[in-house]
Amino acid sequence: MTDRLDRVFAALADPTRRDLVARLADTDATVSDLAAPYAMSLQAVSKHLKVLEDAGLVTRGRDAQRRPVHLEAEVFDLMTAWIERYRRQAEERYQRLDAVLADLAEPDAGRSETTQEAV
Amino acid sequence: MTDRLDRVFAALADPTRRDLVARLADTDATVSDLAAPYAMSLQAVSKHLKVLEDAGLVTRGRDAQRRPVHLEAEVFDLMTAWIERYRRQAEERYQRLDAVLADLAEPDAGRSETTQEAV
DNA sequence: TCCTTTGTCAACCATCTAGTTGAATAGCCA
DNA sequence: TGGCTATTCAACTAGATGGTTGACAAAGGA
């Protein structure tokens, strides 16, 4: 049942993988190119790329023995949509709370209909 | 060295924790309130809340024996900033690529200075 | 004072994760 | 053909994670 968002968030929870994504935002690259800067084996980087691929953040082409890695930036939208939804909801709540507090400040100044609980 | 973004992304990689955040966007709640809908122990939910707290996504108050949990929506900005930065960078790259391709379509129509590699 | 409610802490367990090394595969180059 | 390059696969390990149960702590209500 491990859903798409699970994998996307989990993929980006690792600093090496975030760095890979950051570098791939600039340009496509091969596995060995990507692995070069890190103090870890090529195989470890290959695994990280697999995680990114399973999350749909990255696709791989084929150029002879090389497997150029390409960032699929649209997947970011999935996360942004999730985050923004709840951020907006939380913000609306604060606005509602502000309204209630303003209401309390000037008592029965206009017979407000707000019967929502304050928090 | 496990940095702030690590914890925020990791916290949201779990569906139970995303659900907790979703519910807290609407209203503050106690641990037992939050735990009620899930087929798991109160202790497990308490642990999930600790993960959210360590990531800074949530704070806890004190009301007698109760520990009301409150969503700190600003932390979302951290993630959104990261995501948007690389999404934008990737989009700019595509635009650059589009320009290069357009350039190729109408050859030497203006002695373009672009010496950047295509991808 | 004792009991109940609310929550955390501790120990334990199974599974996942991030890394390792070594061997295998796949495609160029001579 | 043989060898070099690029990459993946397989087996292993240490440590993190997500869950369990049982015991404890803190505060309110009888």
Side-chain angles (χ1 to χ4, degrees), chain A residues 61-102:
Chain A
R62 160 70 71 188
D63 165 27
Q65 322 95 305
R66 260 148 274 129
R67 309 292 320 270
V69 182
H70 174 80
L71 183 66
E72 296 294 338
E74 315 82 62
V75 185
F76 287 163
D77 295 342
L78 245 185
M79 274 187 298
T80 316
W82 189 90
I83 295 166
E84 287 306 309
R85 169 174 174 189
Y86 293 111
R87 200 233 301 267
R88 191 166 311 119
Q89 191 173 331
E91 273 162 11
E92 277 162 18
R93 165 152 70 115
Y94 300 138
Q95 284 163 16
R96 229 189 302 135
L97 178 59
D98 284 347
V100 170
L101 293 177

Side-chain angles (χ1 to χ4, degrees), chain B residues 105-117:
Chain B
E106 37 173 331
D108 62 45
R111 289 202 57 322
S112 127
E113 290 283 341
T114 58
T115 46
Q116 314 230 34
E117 65 280 23

Side-chain angles (χ1 to χ4, degrees), chain A residues 12-95:
Chain A
L12 294 179
D14 183 278
T16 303
R17 286 193 297 258
R18 278 201 308 282
D19 193 57
L20 288 168
V21 167
R23 293 168 58 205
L24 287 166
D26 186 47
T27 178
D28 290 5
T30 67
V31 179
S32 356
D33 286 349
L34 289 169
Y38 307 117
M40 85 181 58
S41 68
L42 187 75
Q43 291 94 319
V45 174
S46 180
K47 276 194 188 180
H48 279 305
L49 290 170
K50 184 150 199 327
V51 173
L52 291 172
E53 187 179 22
D54 290 347
L57 278 158
V58 127
T59 53
R60 305 157 109 147
R62 160 70 71 188
D63 165 27
Q65 322 95 305
R66 260 148 274 129
R67 309 292 320 270
V69 182
H70 174 80
L71 183 66
E72 296 294 338
E74 315 82 62
V75 185
F76 287 163
D77 295 342
L78 245 185
M79 274 187 298
T80 316
W82 189 90
I83 295 166
E84 287 306 309
R85 169 174 174 189
Y86 293 111
R87 200 233 301 267
R88 191 166 311 119
Q89 191 173 331
E91 273 162 11
E92 277 162 18
R93 165 152 70 115
Y94 300 138
Q95 284 163 16

Side-chain angles (χ1 to χ4, degrees), chain B residues 48-65:
Chain B
H48 279 306
L49 290 170
K50 184 149 199 329
V51 173
L52 291 172
E53 188 178 20
D54 289 347
L57 278 158
V58 128
T59 53
R60 304 156 109 147
R62 161 69 71 189
D63 165 27
Q65 323 95 304

Side-chain angles (χ1 to χ4, degrees), chain B residues 48-101:
Chain B
H48 279 306
L49 290 170
K50 184 149 199 329
V51 173
L52 291 172
E53 188 178 20
D54 289 347
L57 278 158
V58 128
T59 53
R60 304 156 109 147
R62 161 69 71 189
D63 165 27
Q65 323 95 304
R66 261 147 272 129
R67 310 292 318 273
V69 182
H70 174 80
L71 184 66
E72 296 293 338
E74 314 82 63
V75 184
F76 286 164
D77 295 342
L78 245 185
M79 275 187 298
T80 315
W82 190 90
I83 295 167
E84 287 306 309
R85 169 174 173 189
Y86 293 111
R87 199 232 301 266
R88 191 166 311 118
Q89 191 173 330
E91 272 163 10
E92 276 161 19
R93 163 148 75 112
Y94 300 139
Q95 285 162 16
R96 228 188 303 135
L97 177 59
D98 284 348
V100 171
L101 293 176

